[in-house]
Amino acid sequence: QKEVEQNSGPLSVPEGAIASLNCTYSDRGSQSFFWYRQYSGKSPELIMSIYSNGDKEDGRFTAQLNKASQYVSLLIRDSQPSDSATYLCAVNEEGGGADGLTFGKGTHLIIQP
Amino acid sequence: DVKVTQSSRYLVKRTGEKVFLECVQDMDHENMFWYRQDPGLGLRLIYFSYDVKMKEKGDIPEGYSVSREKKERFSLILESASTNQTSMYLCASSHMTGLSQETQYFGPGTRLLVL
């Protein structure tokens, strides 16, 4: 049973600070990793993908991957109230076919003005 | 941009009714998915399809069926709606690269209330 674990939160961060969201996964065969943002009552939207060990930056967002530790994280710099949402981590198994993507349950992030 | 659309944003049905939820994607994706999402339970996969007329059960298929007659369209059917099927239903689609799927893109969701 493939598992993706996230702290459900809520994680409360003051405006302007760095928000750090973490995700661990159980399947060592995982090769691609995704972060989705989901506002309350809305559907998930993709914000970052990462495939190689190390950091990947996109604007205020940085995804970090450590395959040896089976750990992926998302950093949000200069946090804004509009970043308040639930963040879903998703992990894809190499060659896993159409059902190879496993989602975590999400971390609820609150940015305090 | 990938676009996934769902037939309704909100739906109210009565117990025992047959309910159809439709999803259409415009990116020629091979894979399509139906999830339901409930507070504290995360996304749960109901059914998915990797090709026209092909369907596979997900984690919670009981009480649901699906149909994929065209590549761009994937329908979820509740044969006899029950109150425990009140939920947010999300459709998603993805492209295959070899034996691996790329990221999934979601539709806006349908919030279903069964009375």
Side-chain angles (χ1 to χ4, degrees):
Chain A
Q1 179 81 9
K2 293 174 284 187
E3 294 183 348
V4 177
E5 299 287 343
Q6 298 180 255
N7 189 322
S8 61
L11 174 65
S12 186
V13 174
E15 184 175 357
I18 296 175
S20 177
L21 304 164
N22 303 316
C23 173
T24 59
Y25 58 95
S26 63
D27 184 6
R28 286 195 173 274
S30 301
Q31 294 294 325
S32 47
F33 306 85
F34 308 95
W35 283 100
Y36 289 80
R37 178 177 61 202
Q38 185 174 23
Y39 292 116
S40 180
K42 303 295 186 182
S43 63
E45 57 176 324
L46 180 71
I47 53 172
M48 288 284 289
S49 58
I50 186 166
Y51 304 93
S52 304
N53 277 330
D55 295 359
K56 179 182 177 182
E57 188 174 318
D58 183 0
R60 294 186 298 109
F61 298 96
T62 298
Q64 299 177 317
L65 175 61
N66 184 326
K67 290 184 180 179
S69 300
Q70 295 176 243
Y71 177 94
V72 58
S73 64
L74 179 71
L75 303 178
I76 307 174
R77 289 183 300 281
D78 188 24
S79 298
Q80 303 296 311
S82 59
D83 295 325
S84 298
T86 296
Y87 289 81
L88 305 176
C89 172
V91 174
N92 198 25
E93 177 188 359
E94 178 74 12
D99 65 341
L101 192 65
T102 303
F103 286 88
K105 292 184 178 180
T107 297
H108 183 204
L109 175 66
I110 298 172
I111 305 300
Q112 293 182 324
Chain B
D1 280 349
V2 174
K3 192 164 185 182
V4 181
T5 58
Q6 294 182 228
S7 52
S8 305
R9 294 299 304 275
Y10 301 94
L11 213 50
V12 180
K13 296 292 181 180
R14 297 216 172 266
T15 302
E17 279 192 79
K18 192 169 187 175
V19 182
F20 293 87
L21 303 182
E22 291 206 318
C23 176
V24 177
Q25 50 95 3
D26 67 356
M27 286 302 292
D28 201 36
H29 284 172
E30 296 87 351
N31 305 319
M32 296 188 75
F33 307 82
W34 276 106
Y35 295 89
R36 63 177 285 178
Q37 188 176 36
D38 302 286
L41 297 179
L43 285 167
R44 293 185 290 168
L45 182 63
I46 303 171
Y47 269 96
F48 67 97
S49 168
Y50 55 89
D51 201 352
V52 176
K53 296 192 185 295
M54 305 306 291
K55 60 185 178 183
E56 294 286 344
K57 293 179 180 179
D59 300 319
I60 51 163
E62 296 80 17
Y64 303 94
S65 62
V66 291
S67 172
R68 193 166 180 201
E69 296 298 318
K70 294 184 178 181
K71 190 174 185 179
E72 68 271 18
R73 190 179 298 269
F74 192 35
S75 301
L76 179 70
I77 303 149
L78 287 66
E79 296 289 343
S80 177
S82 63
T83 54
N84 62 13
Q85 292 178 310
T86 291
S87 187
M88 168 74 108
Y89 289 88
L90 291 160
C91 175
S93 70
S94 71
H95 177 59
M96 289 298 288
T97 300
L99 295 177
S100 301
Q101 69 169 308
E102 298 179 5
T103 192
Q104 291 185 14
Y105 294 91
F106 286 85
T110 296
R111 191 168 291 279
L112 173 67
L113 173 63
V114 182
L115 300 174

